[in-house]
Amino acid sequence: MVSSGVCLLVLASIQFALTAPTRRRQDSGSGGCPRGAQDLDDCVGNSIQQFVNFMASGKLSPKVAITPFDPLLLPNMTISQETKGLTAVYVNRYLIGLKNSFVHDTSVNLGKREFSLTLLMPALELLGMYSAESFEDHSDTENSILTISIRSSTAKFRVLGDLYKAPSGVQHLRLNVTDVQLALGHYMINDLDHSTHIPRANRHFNALPRLEFVRLIEADLRTQLGARLQHIANEVLALAPYEKFFPV
């Protein structure tokens, strides 16, 4: 499916701007991805790939840190099923595996400040605490550690950027994720029951069809990946001026 993003788009030359020297920096002396370069798409894609692989913890350098994206913390999720008379919450959620994603099909249009890329996500794990109760009997609850293992997924991000001036007068790039196309691959759901006395065949989780549940998870992940990775990308872009990422 799909770490971080991440969105992860155009964390473009963080590897050049904030971390160790690279061949491109040594050759050009300017760092970043030169905006007029013929291989601009590849340069941006390679920079994002390095960011994804090596900076998932949020540590960009010994002195600079941002919000980590692997594990990626997700907000609580509430599921109401009035026809089945139950409500459920999926809380303390986090997603593991974005750092193993592969950046694919990067496209950059600096004139319009439009960016797109696809993340190939071989293995993701979504974990959290699942609790449910019936409308009629609020004491009849269940609590499970719910793990969803997802394999061979893709996420395509489309992003628009705009320039703004910091109080210092320096221009920075800010991203807005306009579209996320998420396709979940194979999945397996494990609900590790550790507290309920309810017979497994009668538990509320089993009252919600698995396909319907996965569709809800997919829609939620599409929203959360766009919002969370946009936030992290803009944290990074605020650390260096636009000219640092895309020199002339």
Side-chain angles (χ1 to χ4, degrees):
M1 172 190 48
V2 200
S3 142
S4 206
V6 34
C7 166
L8 277 174
L9 281 177
V10 193
L11 298 175
S13 300
I14 195 65
Q15 180 73 11
F16 301 99
L18 296 175
T19 58
T22 64
R23 179 179 176 182
R24 183 178 295 275
R25 166 171 282 183
Q26 292 167 351
D27 291 345
S28 68
S30 60
C33 293
R35 66 188 71 177
Q38 292 184 349
D39 64 343
L40 178 61
D41 289 357
D42 290 339
C43 179
V44 172
N46 290 337
S47 298
I48 298 173
Q49 185 69 69
Q50 292 182 44
F51 182 90
V52 170
N53 290 346
F54 300 112
M55 302 179 192
S57 66
K59 291 186 177 181
L60 305 186
S61 74
K63 295 183 179 180
V64 180
I66 59 164
T67 302
F69 62 84
D70 198 344
L72 181 68
L73 300 181
L74 301 174
N76 296 340
M77 180 179 181
T78 300
I79 303 170
S80 295
Q81 290 285 305
E82 294 184 4
T83 58
K84 297 180 174 64
L86 70 87
T87 184
V89 292
Y90 193 16
V91 301
N92 298 328
R93 299 188 302 154
Y94 55 96
L95 186 69
I96 298 174
L98 285 176
K99 67 181 179 182
N100 298 318
S101 300
F102 297 98
V103 177
H104 186 61
D105 286 343
T106 305
S107 176
V108 179
N109 185 329
L110 283 183
K112 296 181 178 180
R113 288 190 285 277
E114 295 177 346
F115 311 90
S116 69
L117 66 75
T118 299
L119 285 182
L120 308 179
M121 301 170 287
L124 298 172
E125 301 288 335
L126 178 61
L127 301 92
M129 179 67 71
Y130 178 88
S131 301
E133 66 178 19
S134 66
F135 293 157
E136 296 179 356
D137 183 0
H138 294 288
S139 64
D140 198 15
T141 62
E142 63 186 62
N143 295 282
S144 301
I145 298 174
L146 185 63
T147 303
I148 305 175
S149 300
I150 308 168
R151 300 293 180 265
S152 303
S153 302
T154 62
K156 183 171 184 177
F157 299 90
R158 289 189 175 89
V159 175
L160 286 177
D162 66 270
L163 297 178
Y164 69 97
K165 281 190 176 182
S168 63
V170 176
Q171 280 194 324
H172 290 264
L173 179 66
R174 176 171 47 213
L175 300 181
N176 177 42
V177 176
T178 59
D179 183 54
V180 180
Q181 298 177 17
L182 177 64
L184 295 184
H186 305 292
Y187 65 88
M188 181 172 63
I189 300 176
N190 295 310
D191 50 321
L192 304 178
D193 179 19
H194 65 83
S195 66
T196 181
H197 63 279
I198 304 172
R200 192 171 186 83
N202 297 328
R203 291 175 57 203
H204 299 131
F205 182 75
N206 293 328
L208 184 65
R210 293 298 170 98
L211 182 58
E212 181 180 347
F213 180 74
V214 170
R215 285 174 178 167
L216 291 173
I217 291 294
E218 183 174 16
D220 177 70
L221 279 180
R222 184 183 301 112
T223 298
Q224 299 306 331
L225 284 174
R228 297 293 294 140
L229 296 180
Q230 174 183 294
H231 174 80
I232 293 170
N234 285 326
E235 277 191 61
V236 174
L237 293 171
L239 296 174
Y242 175 70
E243 294 292 337
K244 191 74 172 179
F245 290 102
F246 297 103
V248 176

